[in-house]
Amino acid sequence: MKGIVISGHGEFAQGLFSLVQGILGHTEQLAIAPYDFEKGAEELKSDLIVCANRVDSGEGVIFCTDILGGTPFNKSSEIAIVNPGYHVIAGCNFTTLHAAISLREDDSDDESLIQAIIQQGKEGITSLAEQLVRINANENDGI
């Protein structure tokens, strides 16, 4: 099973971790590496490495980060580039993280796994108007 490390600016990682614990309960091989605004980028990289080592059972790690191009993404990417089986996802939300937790034991190849996680994350971004259209369409089909 792949380990998961959540990282992001400010309270992002702690917030997602708390949400996971509240909804899913204790989750194995899950760690956080928050990026405190006063922390240097290299200190964050060290924290990311410690977390990755803690959650990696030999099957790799998925870093779930907040912002594409932000320091947590960049430092996670530096680690992933030199570690086969390590991957980085940017723009993480709860749906993305839930998918990563749920799908990480699948036997699919890494690229398929990451694409499935991203797709589920995207599907979790919607609006009330879109959901009402979907519900009304299903009612009209007799479902």
Side-chain angles (χ1 to χ4, degrees):
M1 175 169 69
K2 288 194 178 296
I4 298 173
V5 177
I6 309 166
S7 187
H9 297 81
E11 301 292 322
F12 177 82
Q14 295 97 318
L16 270 182
F17 183 81
S18 175
L19 185 57
V20 166
Q21 297 300 311
I23 293 175
L24 303 177
H26 176 73
T27 303
E28 297 291 327
Q29 292 178 250
L30 178 65
I32 61 171
Y35 181 47
D36 185 319
F37 290 103
E38 296 181 17
K39 184 183 290 188
E42 291 308 310
E43 186 179 346
L44 173 62
K45 185 174 180 180
S46 294
D47 291 349
L48 289 163
I49 291 168
V50 167
C51 287
N53 288 336
R54 190 169 63 235
V55 301
D56 187 1
S57 64
E59 295 184 35
V61 172
I62 301 168
F63 292 98
C64 293
T65 67
D66 57 352
I67 303 170
L68 177 65
T71 303
F73 173 82
N74 293 339
K75 294 302 168 185
S76 296
S77 297
E78 289 176 13
I79 298 165
I81 286 171
V82 297
N83 288 283
Y86 281 36
H87 304 278
V88 184
I89 297 175
C92 188
N93 57 29
F94 177 76
T95 307
T96 308
L97 185 56
H98 185 266
I101 292 166
S102 300
L103 299 174
R104 65 184 169 164
E105 294 186 58
D106 287 358
D107 289 332
S108 57
D109 63 277
D110 283 4
E111 185 59 32
S112 297
L113 170 65
I114 298 304
Q115 289 308 312
I117 292 167
I118 291 170
Q119 183 59 39
Q120 286 191 29
K122 288 178 181 179
E123 290 171 5
I125 301 171
T126 188
S127 69
L128 173 60
E130 287 179 10
Q131 292 306 301
L132 291 174
V133 167
R134 184 186 61 76
I135 289 167
N136 288 333
N138 286 340
E139 287 175 3
N140 292 337
D141 290 339
I143 296 175

